[in-house]
Amino acid sequence: MQFTTPLRIALSKGRIFEQTLPLLAAAGITPLEDPESSRKLILETNHPTVQLVMIRATDVPTYVQWAAADIGIAGKDVLVEHGGAGLYEPLDLAIARCRMMVAGPPGASLNGERLRIATKYVRAASDHFASKGQQVEIIKLYGSMELAPLVGLADLIVDLVESGGTLKANGLIPLEWIADISSRLIINKAAWKIKHSVIAEFLAILRASVESRSAER
Ligand code: ATP
Ligand code: MG
């Protein structure tokens, strides 16, 4: 791939970064530093015009919405909470896969009066219970949701579950499925017009890469 137009890509550290590396490699992009060991927030790559910006997962849609990055990779969970203004979401990358679930102590009721739900995912949780006609009180947390039912802050939580190990370690179990979650490519709407050829080529490479992986599965 030829890069002459500057392209800034927003990513978060950890699983998204790790699982994005092979996709970047398919497009011929290699970061010059490892974000897990470097403290730099802007990572240069083997292409002088391609930069990676390393930010909190929940901030990725915001950077792309405001064109501080042209494109980004964000979980569907984060995109639902953000709302998607100013963004295109053209491709499911099928990475960082997990499920959004209602969880709680074994035997907990899912339809009591005024259930209290602790979660980071306020919008997804509200939509889920509203769609069932279930009135709930949502308590916004920023992490460690598993603690809430243990100390009487909430009856249930809404959280992401991969193996269920974290829930189990805290005496909780998944009770109800809400959504399958994976990471998506997001594109700033103006950048899609102004930098169309480079972004469209990048998108095509990612799409081919995702399709060949799903064929292998
Ligand atoms: P932080 O851990 O910094 O508070 P975060 O939890 O949003 O932020 P990550 O844990 O790196 O950041 O998660 C990033 C994305 O990866 C999430 O938005 C979600 O889409 C996905 N994800 C989160 N937890 C899991 C999991 N257990 N298994 C698979 N994917 C997950
Ligand atoms: Mg996390």
Side-chain angles (χ1 to χ4, degrees):
M1 202 175 157
Q2 286 294 322
F3 291 98
T4 45
T5 314
L7 189 68
R8 193 177 290 143
I9 306 173
L11 292 172
S12 54
K13 283 206 239 185
R15 52 170 68 81
I16 289 189
F17 180 77
E18 284 151 24
Q19 297 181 37
T20 297
L21 275 179
L23 296 172
L24 292 176
I29 300 169
T30 318
L32 297 185
E33 278 182 277
D34 176 1
E36 306 298 339
S37 55
S38 166
R39 292 173 188 223
K40 283 190 196 155
L41 300 176
I42 299 181
L43 298 188
E44 303 297 337
T45 72
N46 58 326
H47 293 281
T49 57
V50 180
Q51 278 183 340
L52 309 181
V53 290
M54 303 304 307
I55 51 190
R56 285 294 288 266
T58 42
D59 290 333
V60 168
T62 307
Y63 275 71
V64 177
Q65 171 184 8
W66 295 99
D70 301 300
I71 62 185
I73 295 176
K76 186 65 187 173
D77 50 320
V78 163
L79 293 170
V80 166
E81 298 306 310
H82 171 270
L87 305 175
Y88 292 122
E89 191 192 309
L91 182 62
D92 183 347
L93 297 168
I95 61 170
R97 298 210 280 185
C98 54
R99 286 156 295 139
M100 186 176 286
M101 303 282 302
V102 181
S109 169
L110 285 163
N111 35 30
E113 289 265 301
R114 300 298 289 171
L115 282 177
R116 282 196 302 187
I117 315 291
T119 189
K120 194 159 131 175
Y121 309 103
V122 169
R123 189 184 282 215
S126 305
D127 290 353
H128 173 70
F129 287 101
S131 76
K132 302 201 303 167
Q134 170 72 46
Q135 231 191 44
V136 295
E137 211 166 328
I138 306 276
I139 300 175
K140 164 84 185 181
L141 293 178
Y142 292 87
S144 304
M145 271 86 83
E146 301 84 7
L147 178 61
L150 307 181
V151 294
L153 177 61
D155 302 298
L156 301 168
I157 65 174
V158 167
D159 201 359
L160 300 180
V161 181
E162 192 178 20
S163 66
T166 309
L167 290 177
K168 197 173 171 198
N170 291 289
L172 306 177
I173 56 167
L175 296 165
E176 188 169 63
W177 175 91
I178 298 179
D180 288 333
I181 300 292
S182 56
S183 293
R184 314 298 164 101
L185 182 74
I186 55 173
I187 302 176
N188 173 274
K189 285 188 175 175
W192 176 245
K193 282 191 191 153
I194 298 161
K195 303 187 178 183
H196 189 78
S197 68
V198 66
I199 296 176
E201 191 182 350
F202 185 66
L203 171 61
I205 290 169
L206 293 192
R207 181 168 277 137
S209 188
V210 170
E211 277 165 13
S212 78
R213 285 172 163 220
S214 83
E216 280 167 24
R217 268 201 286 266

